[in-house]
Amino acid sequence: MRRITRRTVLAATAGAVTAPAVSTATAAAAAPTTATSEGRQAASGPHPVLRADLITQVTPRNNWLVTAVAVQYAQRIDLRGGVIPPSAFQVTATVGGQTAARTVTRVYSNTAAEVDERPHPGRPGEHLIVELDPNDSNARAAGTDPLPLDRAYSVRQVADVRTPGGETVLRAGPFAHRNDGVITPVVDDFTAGSFTDSAGFELDFRLHQPADFVRNPRTRTRYPLVITLHGGGEVADNNMTQLTSNRIAVTFAKPERQRRDPAFVLSPQIPLPRPMDGPDGTDWTDAKVQAALIELIDTFVSEHSRVVDTDRLYLVGLSSGGRGIYSLLSKRPDVFAAALPTAGWGDPAVMERITHIPMWADHSIDDPVVPYREGRFGKPGTWTLMNDLETAGARVSRGEWANDLPKDQFEARSRALLRQARATRSHVLFTSYTAGTTPPNPHFAWAQTYENDVVIDWLFEQSR
């Protein structure tokens, strides 16, 4: 991984930092000249297999999952309106030394190695998409670290695939095909790098860059910068799980959001061994980590001052990342335009310094990890901090509803709270989630937060 020091330009061109840590199919698919797997050596007939790749997905509640296998053929597959039964393919996964079947849910042809979200998916193309049940017990792509998934999956066709007229399109065969690589949409668009501060402390990070900037680095457009602060469970040396353990970073980098609000997304990761200096020096408030984080942000903004909108720097974070937000805002109260702290805790003594900063905080009432009122390590939780903000002079608009509502109902509640805030000229909003409504764990309040377009739209509206 390339090291970027204070004296090294943090260039944000597409090739400025190392390639994504997870392999993709692009390069290999462009030049499929060597048949190395047993399945490809034996491939024959009109549709030989060139390669197979896993398609993974970062989910709001269930971590990082393998959700499909994309099998690429040498020639276009045209089913002429036919439908492939899931029973025509068998998929097994060997993960952690255990081999078990995956449940095939849909199979269809496509023009690219990607899942088709439409109710009736598929179009003639060189790829066959074998979708898998995300609820399978062996669907995960990571534990604490990413799992070794290259060649971990086997896919075999066990029944002929025919058109409605009876013409055989794909013949069943005795050979299974192993996956060559892993495709993770959105995550693969992040580059990987590291930053070493003036004290010699190193932070790895992932960076997503706006597409228009990548195409034209000399653009005069100025973009917001979103800094994501992961939770304690993502402290690691893999420079990956801060993107894949939840959708905090993916939310801001996914194509539909980037089309609406193009922005740089900077996602640092705290390294091991876990820093824990001083009382409540938890992760992002550890002195070494926080100094490096501040210097990373300052250096990035300085090196990209022509294209970063310094009036639109946003902090978003969950759990100990929420703790980091309250601390960082108090240290740099004139830098950030707005923040989204979820399931966090903090120091009530610093609330008076940040009453002017727009925030939308949320927390589950029955959170057992970071209690809603009491917080952690002697520092109170969100409910208490919002009261302290109000005492210090901020207007706080509050709402409470279930955290498992359907998206449209959830956003309707958020929209109503935002109307209330605007009517009372409040720039601090606080959502509490009713006990027993935050699956799969009451601490995971953020699952709906970053799927909530009302909240994300509100964030991008804020300017210093």
Side-chain angles (χ1 to χ4, degrees):
M1 181 172 293
R2 186 172 181 177
R3 176 170 294 186
I4 302 176
T5 66
R6 297 184 72 213
R7 292 188 278 282
T8 302
V9 173
L10 265 167
T13 56
V17 288
T18 60
V22 173
S23 60
T24 65
T26 305
T33 58
T34 305
T36 56
S37 73
E38 182 182 34
R40 282 181 302 219
Q41 288 174 338
S44 61
H47 292 101
V49 172
L50 300 179
R51 64 179 291 119
D53 293 281
L54 302 185
I55 300 176
T56 68
Q57 180 183 3
V58 179
T59 64
R61 290 190 172 93
N62 295 316
N63 197 275
W64 186 20
L65 306 177
V66 178
T67 54
V69 182
V71 182
Q72 184 183 4
Y73 292 80
Q75 296 159 5
R76 185 169 174 264
I77 300 166
D78 188 351
L79 301 173
R80 300 179 189 176
V83 176
I84 303 175
S87 59
F89 286 82
Q90 292 178 349
V91 177
T92 59
T94 302
V95 180
Q98 300 293 318
T99 299
R102 289 293 310 270
T103 306
V104 178
T105 57
R106 299 197 299 184
V107 184
Y108 49 87
S109 58
N110 207 351
T111 56
E114 60 188 27
V115 170
D116 188 341
E117 302 288 355
R118 297 177 301 171
H120 304 288
R123 53 179 65 85
E126 291 77 23
H127 295 83
L128 200 69
I129 309 302
V130 182
E131 288 193 26
L132 306 172
D133 189 342
N135 296 312
D136 288 345
S137 60
N138 56 344
R140 291 172 68 90
T144 302
D145 292 306
L147 296 170
L149 292 176
D150 285 351
R151 292 167 296 282
Y153 272 62
S154 170
V155 56
R156 181 186 170 201
Q157 184 180 342
V158 295
D160 289 349
V161 172
R162 295 184 173 89
T163 66
E167 179 185 349
T168 299
V169 178
L170 296 172
R171 293 191 181 280
F175 299 107
H177 302 283
R178 292 281 181 180
N179 69 291
D180 298 272
V182 181
I183 299 170
T184 305
V186 183
V187 171
D188 287 343
D189 296 331
F190 280 78
T191 53
S194 66
F195 173 77
T196 303
D197 73 1
S198 53
F201 189 83
E202 183 178 10
L203 280 180
D204 284 347
F205 66 85
R206 300 298 291 270
L207 174 66
H208 187 280
Q209 301 155 111
D212 287 344
F213 170 75
V214 172
R215 285 190 291 265
N216 178 23
R218 297 183 181 276
T219 180
R220 295 187 178 183
T221 302
R222 292 166 67 84
Y223 301 96
L225 170 63
V226 180
I227 301 103
T228 70
L229 304 184
H230 63 70
E234 290 74 64
V235 176
D237 293 325
N238 54 51
N239 204 4
M240 175 59 77
T241 50
Q242 76 268 37
L243 303 184
T244 58
S245 287
N246 47 65
R247 288 172 59 87
I248 182 172
V250 167
T251 288
F252 298 97
K254 62 186 181 182
E256 54 269 39
R257 176 52 64 178
Q258 283 282 319
R259 285 192 292 268
R260 193 165 175 171
D261 295 295
F264 289 99
V265 184
L266 182 63
S267 301
Q269 184 180 46
I270 299 170
L272 293 169
R274 186 187 217 103
M276 293 282 280
D277 284 351
D280 194 29
T282 54
D283 302 339
W284 296 110
T285 60
D286 173 89
K288 298 185 297 295
V289 171
Q290 192 169 86
L293 174 63
I294 290 172
E295 200 169 325
L296 167 61
I297 295 169
D298 289 348
T299 303
F300 185 89
V301 171
S302 174
E303 296 294 341
H304 300 88
S305 57
R306 187 175 54 80
V307 291
V308 170
D309 185 347
T310 54
D311 287 331
R312 299 179 69 200
L313 307 187
Y314 305 122
L315 276 178
V316 300
L318 52 87
S319 191
S320 64
R323 168 69 175 116
I325 286 177
Y326 295 119
S327 177
L328 196 56
L329 290 180
S330 69
K331 300 284 180 60
R332 306 297 293 275
D334 299 320
V335 170
F336 300 100
L340 299 179
T342 297
W345 70 101
D347 185 351
V350 304
M351 291 298 108
E352 62 182 5
R353 302 179 202 166
I354 62 175
T355 57
H356 62 289
I357 300 174
M359 276 187 281
W360 196 324
D362 57 341
H363 208 136
S364 298
I365 291 174
D366 55 342
D367 187 337
V369 178
V370 180
Y372 175 73
R373 297 170 185 261
E374 295 83 6
R376 297 192 80 186
F377 304 111
K379 306 294 183 183
T382 309
W383 182 85
T384 306
L385 294 179
M386 293 299 106
N387 291 343
D388 292 328
L389 266 179
E390 201 160 44
T391 299
R395 288 192 180 100
V396 179
S397 295
R398 294 174 171 83
E400 179 186 332
W401 55 82
N403 202 10
D404 56 359
L405 292 175
K407 179 177 172 64
D408 59 341
Q409 296 179 34
F410 193 97
E411 291 188 346
R413 295 292 192 99
S414 301
R415 204 171 287 113
L417 181 60
L418 184 54
R419 285 196 299 269
Q420 173 190 325
R422 287 170 173 164
T424 58
R425 297 178 179 271
S426 167
H427 58 258
V428 179
L429 298 91
F430 174 35
T431 305
S432 301
Y433 300 123
T434 305
T437 67
T438 302
N441 183 310
H443 183 49
F444 294 179
W446 51 84
Q448 284 268 41
T449 304
Y450 296 101
E451 304 306 297
N452 188 339
D453 288 325
V454 176
V455 170
I456 306 303
D457 289 345
W458 170 88
L459 182 73
F460 279 108
E461 291 169 2
Q462 308 310 308
S463 183
R464 217 161 37 92

